[in-house]
Amino acid sequence: VDGMPIRREFGVVKAAWSAGLMVPEPLWEGRVGDGEDGDLYAMRRADGSCTTDLLTVTSPVPRTVLLGIAEQLARLHRTALDRIRPFVTQYDPELFHQSASDAVRKRLTAWDALWRSAPRLPSVLEQHLLGWLYRNLPDNPEPPSLVHGDCSPHNCLWDGERLTAVIDWEWGHFGDP
């Protein structure tokens, strides 16, 4: 449901690149062996580095970098589906006829199916939270937009005070920004 296959992540990066977003240029994708463990893709090297990881910050993130991340998210969420038509057509052409709320509902349904299929004991808390999400889904009749899904400083590169790239698009999906 989430953590998409490499081939699809490459498609998301190509779509983001074609929309003019600050992502490293995608070059090619391929396979080096059998199975998904052999899938990979290459991108042009982007300037900058990252001084954070998911749980720690080894140095402060400059305010201008944070504002740059917000600007990139705003641009991403304003990108019309027609601008990334080849990707949408390949992976989910129904999106052209859905609202943002429809896309979120579809994602929640997929999460629910994944959780129910997992070999483990059921969780009352998960069932409660998923029910709450369904009941409180905002009505957004606008078309869905591409969403990064994990855009924070640990998935960005910057050089000094300047954001240089948004990376790690494996959680990218269509939904309500």
Side-chain angles (χ1 to χ4, degrees):
V1 168
D2 289 3
M4 66 181 71
I6 291 292
R7 176 166 284 165
R8 184 161 182 214
E9 182 179 355
F10 181 72
V12 170
V13 173
K14 279 178 46 178
W17 169 259
S18 72
L21 294 162
M22 196 175 282
V23 300
E25 180 185 5
L27 300 174
W28 54 268
E29 65 91 19
R31 182 176 297 250
V32 293
D34 293 332
E36 288 201 22
D37 289 341
D39 290 348
L40 58 94
Y41 70 90
M43 303 172 354
R44 190 164 312 281
R45 185 183 187 286
D47 291 335
S49 60
C50 179
T51 60
T52 70
D53 63 32
L54 185 59
L55 301 174
T56 62
V57 177
T58 57
S59 65
V61 179
R63 175 180 166 80
T64 53
V65 169
L66 296 173
L67 291 172
I69 293 169
E71 179 185 328
Q72 288 301 298
L73 286 173
R75 290 182 66 201
L76 174 66
H77 298 160
R78 284 192 316 261
T79 300
L81 294 180
D82 276 339
R83 181 110 190 252
I84 55 174
R85 181 171 283 279
F87 176 72
V88 177
T89 300
Q90 182 176 2
Y91 287 100
D92 197 352
E94 294 175 8
L95 288 167
F96 291 113
H97 310 289
Q98 294 179 338
S99 70
S101 296
D102 294 334
V104 172
R105 193 172 294 104
K106 182 175 172 180
R107 188 165 175 81
L108 288 176
T109 300
W111 279 353
D112 189 24
L114 178 67
W115 287 336
R116 290 177 191 275
S117 70
R120 59 188 177 77
L121 294 173
S123 167
V124 174
L125 180 60
E126 282 177 2
Q127 292 169 358
H128 172 75
L129 291 174
L130 192 61
W132 184 92
L133 287 169
Y134 276 117
R135 288 188 306 277
N136 291 281
L137 179 65
D139 182 32
N140 184 348
E142 296 298 316
S145 67
L146 185 56
V147 178
H148 183 279
D150 191 18
C151 193
S152 68
H154 80 277
N155 282 329
C156 295
L157 301 176
W158 60 91
D159 188 10
E161 300 275 321
R162 182 179 61 89
L163 178 71
T164 58
V166 177
I167 58 173
D168 194 5
W169 289 77
E170 72 183 53
W171 300 104
H173 61 280
F174 291 94
D176 186 340

